[in-house]
Amino acid sequence: MTQATSKPRNADTARLSDALPNETLLKWLYDMQLIREFEARTMQMYQQAKIGGFCHIYSGQEASAVGCTAAVNHDDPIVLAYRDHGHALARGMHPAACMAEMFGKLAGCAKGKGGSMHMFDKPNWLFGGHGIVSAQTPLGTGLAFACRYQWEVMETAKKRVCLTFLGDGAIDQGAFHEAQNLASVFGIPVIYIIENNGYSMGTAIHRHTANCDRLTMRGESYGIKSIEVDGLDIRNVYDQMKPLVDECRDLQRPGFVDLKTYRYQGHSMSDPQKYRTKDEVESFKERDSIANLAAHLMAQEDDGGRGCLTEDDWNTMQKDIRQIVMDAVAFAEQAADPDPEKELSTDTYALPMKNLSPSENYSHGTKNPLL
Amino acid sequence: MMTTAYTPDMSLITDDVHPALGHWELPHFAEEHELPPRDGAPGQERVIQFREALREAMSEEMRRDQRIFLCGEEVAQYNGAYKVSQGMLEEFGEKRIIDTPISENGFAGMAIGAAMMGLKPIVEFMSWSFSLVAADPILNNAPKMLYMSGGQWGCPIVFRGNDGAGGQLGSTHSWCVEGLYANIPGLKMVIPSNPYDAKGLLKTAIRDPDPVFFLESERMLGDRAHVPAEEYYIPFGRARRVREGDACTLVSWGRPVNFCIEACEKLAENGIECDLLDMRTIRPLDIDSIVASLKKTGRVVVVDQSWPFGSVASETITQICEHGFDWLDSAPVRVNTRDVPTPYARGLEHAYLPNAERVVEAVLRIVEV
Ligand SMILES: Cc1ncc(C[n+]2csc(CCOP(=O)(O)OP(=O)(O)O)c2C)c(N)n1
Ligand SMILES: [Mg+2]
């Protein structure tokens, strides 16, 4: 499989992220580690059958969710596919709400109606978690269409952009091509971020998509500004994403990002991974985004680092995170199941009326716990 | 950096409109007797075409609410493939009347995203036949978003366009999607049969916070009738009695209501007076009015221009059996399109449709003369 090597480092070249305060990079480290730890527990809970359905683990790709969201504002909408726990946490969803959702509890972010693949968080402008490969790409285009409309026609909002994440497998769907064409023709500020982990389930990218070494050609062919990003280095993700985001926001134009990354776990929890070697996985683990950022923050300034994190700090941070995730699991364990009598038919219609269904008497039920 | 405890508020929702939609104003939904008269005073009639009634509904609502935009193929510069949106580009400009590429999957999905974000899109499908390539967004996203997000994001959107056989368009262009789509919870479905209802129902559809599938018919767009100038909203789920009679209840919606009117006239010549109900919406389906009529007639024929297997007619008859079994003097009868792909030849197409002759025949089968 093809992966971009890191951008050549030149100590003399100022990086955009160098101007950010230490706290910001420490927060990135924290968020990435939170996702890593959260996913480790998720796998455990899945194996214990506390979590059902399809469950896709994000470990290895953390720099993408955390780095990309760092490049936008909080009220810039985000939408993605089913490998969504990481983005939910990166966006600020409480780990307990995310875990409780996977446990199918009423206190989960979608009241137990969405599950692992359908994480929604309105206060954090997260529009899901979508299970159908590439279905989110026209949706994200529409979120961004509305952003522009609210700025330009209604004059009720400032300029915003929408980040729409998709996998490398999703680029083969017609929906994505229609979405790109619409975005370019209409001038829609949507940024398609292809989290290119080299595989669509068990199909390596060169086996599922043409010209896989030059995906940016696709975006360019629609007149969309397209870039390639080494997605394993979070500082680099930010360095490249921030200018693109600023440009798309300013010009109200779409963007296309081939973000090279790698997933450490199988496609879903039921994947024996016959299609790749252990060596390949190990070679990527050597470039681990979390270890690298931690090393950078611990290294002294003379060595090109920040010197803002000690070994002890890092251990404490990991310990705190472990506790937070354990608390999230404990919360999910004890949280109440949705009562089928009360909750099965709620949230079906925004304006329920008589005779909508031969079997249901729809009502609104319990408020969403995040609202 | 410690995360604070998670203490969600799990109180009950008491609002009329789900809070996922934010502040939402509903218009006054008039009862039938409060609606403006269907006939203009002699000499004062305001006779317009079905397509103009649709246009008036959209334009009136768009003047009132800036969140509304119309998108679809040829809606702007071409003035609408069927001239429904004629002149709207001039009034509302290209930011609100939007010509799209031929990408139903793409622009339907795009409009759904815009609806989630707080806009109120009206999506015109040149024909519902073409909505099949947009099946994923319109069936998998729009009607399920509120549920799947646990009540966080709503999807206030109207999909509208021509449904059913046009004039000899053959099988790819003659889809009646109600049989397929009405199956899906989370959506509302409206099928008007005349200009007056079309206007009042489309205005209600645009004000409704749920995804509304609004099915028109190319064959009716030129139909003319009096449509009052004053504003009115027709509530969903209220059938209209088109003709009064006690021999048999006739239930229909959309274009076949007109076949039924023709059939009723023929039957009346033989002294058979039918109670004809125009359902206007099929989700919600006004089963109460059907049962009330059945109590008087004891007989029912359901006329539906989609295929019979698992159709809206079958659903209607199931509900009739569930709620009105004791009043049935004979088995309910359905008249659907014939169970074949839509043919081209004029005579074949006529025979395929639930035409007036077939309705008459069905009524005569169960009514004792
Ligand atoms: C339309 C559709 N087809 C097939 C699937 C089954 N499926 C789920 S994920 C997946 C692979 C997608 O891979 P990619 O887009 O690269 O994302 P990744 O899993 O690598 O994050 C497939 C085939 C689906 N969910 N939707
Ligand atoms: Mg992939």
Side-chain angles (χ1 to χ4, degrees):
Chain A
M1 58 167 297
T2 345
Q3 289 289 331
T5 48
S6 276
K7 250 181 34 173
R9 292 282 155 69
N10 182 341
D12 299 332
T13 318
R15 302 176 59 145
L16 205 53
S17 51
D18 287 346
L20 295 171
N22 289 341
E23 296 77 69
T24 303
L25 274 73
L26 286 165
K27 178 78 167 70
W28 291 355
L29 183 67
Y30 178 92
D31 284 349
M32 291 201 292
Q33 179 61 24
L34 177 64
I35 295 170
R36 182 73 55 90
E37 182 70 26
F38 185 90
E39 293 294 58
R41 287 287 170 207
T42 299
M43 289 191 278
Q44 233 177 34
M45 294 303 115
Y46 193 91
Q47 272 143 5
Q48 292 176 22
K50 306 272 176 160
I51 297 173
F54 289 143
C55 187
H56 309 83
I57 300 299
Y58 196 59
S59 303
Q61 303 186 197
E62 295 89 348
S64 169
V66 178
C68 291
T69 49
V72 295
N73 299 328
H74 182 247
D75 62 353
D76 287 323
I78 285 185
V79 70
L80 72 155
Y82 46 82
R83 196 180 297 282
D84 58 353
H85 319 154
H87 301 73
L89 297 179
R91 255 284 139 136
M93 183 188 289
H94 199 292
C98 194
M99 191 59 82
E101 182 57 32
M102 290 195 275
F103 274 57
K105 300 299 179 77
L106 187 61
C109 68
K111 294 169 66 177
K113 291 174 171 175
S116 161
M117 300 193 285
H118 308 113
M119 296 289 171
F120 291 82
D121 187 342
K122 190 168 193 169
N124 287 313
W125 297 91
L126 177 71
F127 287 77
H130 294 275
I132 299 298
V133 168
S134 219
Q136 78 277 20
T137 58
L139 294 182
T141 309
L143 297 171
F145 172 92
C147 287
R148 176 162 181 163
Y149 190 97
Q150 285 161 351
W151 162 70
E152 189 178 36
V153 178
M154 299 177 68
E155 299 178 22
T156 52
K158 56 187 175 31
K159 287 178 176 176
R160 288 185 286 179
V161 295
C162 169
L163 297 187
T164 299
F165 294 88
L166 58 151
D168 51 288
I171 64 178
D172 303 332
Q173 276 282 21
F176 180 44
H177 292 262
E178 295 187 19
Q180 290 176 85
N181 184 53
L182 287 162
S184 187
V185 169
F186 293 155
I188 294 180
V190 55
I191 300 178
Y192 304 109
I193 299 166
I194 295 152
E195 297 190 284
N196 180 358
N197 57 18
Y199 292 95
S200 170
M201 281 187 76
T203 309
I205 187 162
H206 66 272
R207 296 177 56 230
H208 74 70
T209 212
N211 262 327
C212 65
D213 296 336
R214 295 164 69 205
L215 292 186
T216 47
M217 284 199 326
R218 305 267 179 106
E220 279 157 9
S221 75
Y222 289 106
I224 298 177
K225 165 99 180 231
S226 305
I227 63 171
E228 232 174 66
V229 171
D230 169 9
L232 295 180
D233 173 353
I234 187 165
R235 291 187 299 142
N236 180 60
V237 172
Y238 180 86
D239 291 343
Q240 289 189 261
M241 283 304 296
K242 186 74 171 85
L244 182 70
V245 166
D246 291 348
E247 182 179 331
C248 293
R249 186 191 305 283
D250 186 38
L251 303 178
Q252 294 287 289
R253 287 290 306 166
F256 176 111
V257 182
D258 176 9
L259 185 145
K260 317 265 191 188
T261 183
Y262 198 77
R263 68 167 149 76
Y264 292 168
Q265 302 299 325
H267 166 71
S268 69
M269 287 299 294
S270 56
D271 173 5
Q273 302 182 60
K274 294 247 165 65
Y275 50 86
R276 65 180 186 184
T277 63
K278 288 215 165 64
D279 286 352
E280 181 184 296
V281 180
E282 286 313 312
S283 74
F284 279 98
K285 285 190 175 170
E286 278 162 25
R287 295 170 57 202
D288 184 67
S289 54
I290 298 178
N292 275 338
L293 180 61
H296 173 69
L297 297 179
M298 283 193 275
Q300 291 312 305
E301 289 184 37
D302 296 345
D303 299 327
R306 291 227 179 194
C308 65
L309 182 77
T310 64
E311 193 85 40
D312 273 356
D313 294 341
W314 180 213
N315 286 333
T316 309
M317 191 192 281
Q318 293 180 69
K319 221 175 100 218
D320 289 350
I321 288 172
R322 207 167 302 136
Q323 189 58 48
I324 284 164
V325 175
M326 267 158 50
D327 290 349
V329 171
F331 176 88
E333 288 266 19
Q334 59 75 45
D337 287 320
D339 176 357
E341 291 276 319
K342 292 191 185 122
E343 280 298 333
L344 181 60
S345 73
T346 60
D347 305 312
T348 311
Y349 286 94
L351 181 61
M353 35 185 76
K354 208 177 164 215
N355 291 331
L356 272 168
S357 161
S359 66
E360 309 304 322
N361 194 5
Y362 300 111
S363 68
H364 289 329
T366 315
K367 234 175 79 181
N368 183 288
L370 300 185
L371 294 183
Chain B
M1 274 181 210
M2 288 294 284
T3 313
T4 49
Y6 180 57
T7 46
D9 165 14
M10 306 297 291
S11 51
L12 289 176
I13 299 168
T14 48
D15 320 26
D16 283 349
V17 175
H18 199 291
L21 275 294
H23 174 70
W24 195 271
E25 272 173 44
L26 292 172
H28 172 65
F29 296 124
E31 289 303 326
E32 200 66 37
H33 65 272
E34 298 172 83
L35 288 168
R38 300 183 73 92
D39 301 309
Q44 310 272 302
E45 294 96 346
R46 193 171 154 278
V47 176
I48 61 171
Q49 291 184 9
F50 200 114
R51 56 166 61 79
E52 294 174 275
L54 296 170
R55 183 189 313 146
E56 285 184 358
M58 291 191 287
S59 297
E60 286 175 18
E61 293 303 315
M62 286 186 71
R63 279 173 212 134
R64 196 188 51 79
D65 186 349
Q66 237 188 349
R67 295 173 304 172
I68 305 168
F69 68 91
L70 170 69
C71 70
E73 289 152 21
E74 311 298 345
V75 297
Q77 296 203 359
Y78 194 87
N79 271 317
Y82 296 95
K83 303 290 172 260
V84 172
S85 55
Q86 188 154 35
M88 289 179 72
L89 172 63
E90 243 165 82
E91 177 173 358
F92 299 105
E94 61 178 21
K95 293 288 171 195
R96 298 184 68 196
I97 307 294
I98 302 165
D99 278 329
T100 64
I102 310 167
S103 312
E104 282 81 2
N105 190 359
F107 70 72
M110 183 190 87
I112 291 165
M116 291 172 74
M117 193 72 189
L119 301 188
K120 289 225 60 187
I122 304 171
V123 177
E124 177 174 310
F125 289 123
M126 203 179 270
S127 160
W128 276 98
S129 296
F130 311 146
S131 75
L132 299 179
V133 299
D136 185 53
I138 69 173
L139 308 184
N140 226 346
N141 292 332
K144 297 178 183 168
M145 204 57 78
L146 184 67
Y147 194 87
M148 243 184 27
S149 65
Q152 292 195 67
W153 302 106
C155 188
I157 192 166
V158 176
F159 298 105
R160 45 160 291 270
N162 291 316
D163 180 65
Q168 292 186 264
L169 301 180
S171 66
T172 58
H173 281 51
S174 304
W175 270 87
C176 265
V177 294
E178 53 267 44
L180 289 180
Y181 295 173
N183 188 238
I184 293 151
L187 58 79
K188 292 171 180 167
M189 189 175 280
V190 183
I191 315 185
S193 73
N194 60 79
Y196 180 102
D197 285 354
K199 179 169 178 184
L201 289 167
L202 184 53
K203 282 173 71 76
T204 303
I206 296 169
R207 297 292 291 269
D208 193 281
D210 287 303
V212 180
F213 287 40
F214 196 93
L215 278 49
E216 301 149 14
S217 161
E218 189 212 313
R219 303 306 287 172
M220 296 196 299
L221 289 177
D223 287 2
R224 297 162 66 84
H226 167 72
V227 173
E230 62 187 289
E231 182 163 67
Y232 60 99
Y233 293 87
I234 300 179
F236 289 173
R238 307 273 218 293
R240 178 174 82 93
R241 173 169 286 110
V242 182
R243 266 182 88 109
E244 185 122 29
D246 54 15
C248 178
T249 301
L250 268 177
V251 176
S252 195
W253 49 88
R255 186 179 172 212
V257 169
N258 298 304
F259 304 157
C260 290
I261 292 173
E262 209 184 314
C264 286
E265 282 160 6
K266 286 186 187 151
L267 288 161
E269 287 167 15
N270 297 320
I272 299 167
E273 293 293 347
C274 293
D275 220 30
L276 172 57
L277 296 178
D278 179 349
M279 301 314 291
R280 299 203 277 210
T281 68
I282 57 176
R283 219 170 162 143
L285 183 77
D286 185 3
I287 185 66
D288 306 334
S289 292
I290 300 177
V291 172
S293 169
L294 189 64
K295 287 181 183 172
K296 183 172 64 171
T297 64
R299 294 175 165 78
V300 61
V301 173
V302 182
V303 185
D304 173 358
Q305 67 161 342
S306 68
W307 291 309
F309 198 103
S311 61
V312 181
S314 0
E315 171 58 30
T316 307
I317 288 176
T318 304
Q319 291 194 30
I320 289 169
C321 293
E322 286 166 345
H323 300 281
F325 192 77
D326 290 346
W327 290 280
L328 283 167
D329 293 330
S330 69
V333 174
R334 60 178 160 184
V335 181
N336 284 81
T337 41
R338 298 281 297 277
D339 210 5
V340 295
T342 318
Y344 161 73
R346 188 184 301 244
L348 289 180
E349 188 187 70
H350 179 78
Y352 160 88
L353 290 170
N355 57 53
E357 301 90 86
R358 290 182 58 209
V359 175
V360 169
E361 196 185 296
V363 172
L364 289 177
R365 236 186 294 150
I366 54 169
V367 172
E368 298 135 26
V369 199

